[in-house]
Amino acid sequence: MFQTFGRLFSIFKIKHGERWIAFGVVLSLVCLNALLIIRYYGELTPLTNDYWHLFIRRFHVSGFDPITYHTLSDWEVRYNPYRHPLLAFFMYVPYLVNKGLMALTGINCAIFIVALMMSFFALYAQLFLYRILREVVGNTQREATILTFFFFSFAYIMLSSFMPDHFIISMFLLLLVLYISGRKIKQGRALTIWQTIACFFFTAGTSLNNGLKVFLSGLFVNGKRFFRIRYMLFAVLVPAALIWGFSRFEYRVFVLPGELQRHEMKAKLKKIKAQRELVAKKAQQEAAQKDSLQGKTSQHKTAQAKKADAKPHHQWTGTPIMGGEFMRWTDISTSRVDAAVESLFGESIQLHEDYLLGDVMKQRPIIVKYNHWYNYAVEAVVVALFVIGVWCGRRSRFLWLVMSYFMMDMLLHMGLGFGINEVYIMTAHWAYALPIAIGFLFRSIGSNAKRYLSFAVSLLALYLFIYNFRLIAIYLL
């Protein structure tokens, strides 16, 4: 039993060749978390009876949601249970730790606990990528180090690494599943039923659609054995049915009562507001009659009316395919070309200076353009390296597994339009495909070409890191 647990946790042992990568990532994370804590310490650490509105009103970094801060402060299921069925329960132990620290310190320590949690997931996500490049793709230590740094320099990988959201947890789990899958493919071994269930439980529990990627791993690793009745039943159908059934149970028991209570409160507030508006309208009418008798006009009222008329309507989402719980989040009207250039391969990798880290649900337009030609040049180089890398690795079963993950996200976001208005937020779910594909490019070229490519990718990584870190620091400070 102890040997089994030892083998299980040995995957988290930092190997000798990984120490410099770990040091660099940890140093970067300390700086990024320090910026966030300095910015929000005074606003998010006081004790209160209404943590939800405190965090929602005060925390603003792009479209990231501070739900994790709330869950660690006043535990309840506020994550969407159909998208994150087990995430609130994964956060229960950190919540208990925070409650104890609240009693000891007299402040809310959620921002510190989340910083430690996200740093752990970010560190090991980078280490798993490094191991994939070294042990599965077959890159040298130098090439794998360069590509890992290149990946970490992406704008929304850096941001996801210290934001109080689920994306870095999902990336950690997806890269862990890919690492295990790649090792199995190289060894010619199959994913067992229990391994598949464990991977699915944590991955789908954090983000339900990513659980489907575990089944893709089962398909690519096991091949025809994936369709055996025993595996299909116990590793695929039963876990999928159980987690979906639990999502519905979770909604009815933990979410619906709170929603009904909030709707009732909103209805009462709406009724009070309507009564106040009626009283104010009557007062205005009486004042207008008095002004007309005295031959006066209300300049203030006219100015306010003009200001209201001139206020533009902020469009934060496109036209959905249809209504419903899920389909209302689709989008068929936003330009896919603009979204790909400015958001998918744009904002995900390089931040825009205009509307810096703004939220599309508030003031940021869906499409924002760069101010300089070199931003587009960098984007073109990154995409070209990615495409060439996919071609170079076209015979690798592992690369096609990675690309199946990538294409699932492209189908959801760029095809159906789920979250296309802020597709860069989901960067952590798919962007690892870029360094892995470029890893196959490294493996396919000669030694002289490798030197030039190493220099080019190192230069790109350094530029992206400085460019994105600078803009993040500007925003937070």
Side-chain angles (χ1 to χ4, degrees), residues 29-231:
L29 291 171
V30 168
C31 294
L32 291 167
N33 279 294
L35 288 172
L36 188 72
I37 290 169
I38 290 169
R39 168 66 181 83
Y40 284 107
Y41 177 84
E43 297 180 61
L44 303 185
T45 54
L47 302 181
T48 178
N49 293 324
D50 188 2
Y51 288 109
W52 176 258
H53 288 98
L54 171 68
F55 295 128
I56 294 297
R57 289 172 181 169
R58 299 290 178 86
F59 184 89
H60 299 290
V61 180
S62 189
F64 291 103
D65 295 323
I67 298 175
T68 303
Y69 285 153
H70 168 72
T71 306
L72 265 63
S73 305
D74 185 15
W75 192 91
E76 61 177 323
V77 178
R78 281 296 186 103
Y79 302 105
N80 186 318
Y82 295 114
R83 293 167 63 188
H84 314 290
L86 299 176
L87 190 53
F89 301 94
F90 293 159
M91 296 296 168
Y92 191 71
V93 171
Y95 156 74
L96 294 177
V97 172
N98 190 36
K99 292 298 286 185
L101 290 174
M102 283 181 181
L104 289 172
T105 63
I107 63 170
N108 187 349
C109 297
I111 58 173
F112 300 104
I113 297 172
V114 170
L116 290 172
M117 288 169 50
M118 299 308 165
S119 295
F120 170 85
F121 293 120
L123 170 62
Y124 278 97
Q126 303 307 317
L127 292 179
F128 289 143
L129 175 64
Y130 174 82
R131 292 175 189 176
I132 287 169
L133 293 165
R134 287 283 288 130
E135 300 173 28
V136 181
V137 178
N139 294 124
T140 65
Q141 183 175 347
R142 181 167 176 266
E143 293 162 1
T145 301
I146 290 170
L147 287 170
T148 303
F149 177 51
F150 173 63
F151 178 60
F152 186 73
S153 68
F154 290 0
Y156 273 78
I157 298 302
M158 291 176 67
L159 283 164
S160 298
S161 297
F162 69 106
M163 288 294 109
D165 215 320
H166 75 282
F167 296 105
I168 200 64
I169 305 175
S170 292
M171 188 176 84
F172 159 83
L173 292 167
L174 290 171
L175 285 168
L176 174 59
V177 173
L178 281 174
Y179 176 57
I180 294 170
S181 302
R183 292 282 303 273
K184 294 283 186 181
I185 289 172
K186 289 206 75 172
Q187 295 166 359
R189 298 168 60 190
L191 272 172
T192 66
I193 291 174
W194 287 111
Q195 287 170 337
T196 306
I197 291 172
C199 289
F200 178 78
F201 173 79
F202 287 105
T203 306
T206 302
S207 184
L208 190 60
N209 61 300
N210 284 330
L212 298 176
K213 295 175 182 177
V214 175
F215 298 151
L216 287 173
S217 278
L219 177 61
F220 276 86
V221 173
N222 294 6
K224 293 180 181 178
R225 289 173 289 185
F226 176 83
F227 298 101
R228 289 177 179 173
I229 294 175
R230 186 166 176 266
Y231 185 89

Side-chain angles (χ1 to χ4, degrees), residues 29 34 45 47 138 177 211 252 270 321 333 338 348 410 412 422 433 439 457:
L29 291 171
T45 54
L47 302 181
V177 173
R252 289 195 303 269
K270 189 176 179 180
I321 296 172
S333 60
D338 288 342
S348 298
M410 295 307 103
L412 285 172
E422 50 179 3
V457 176

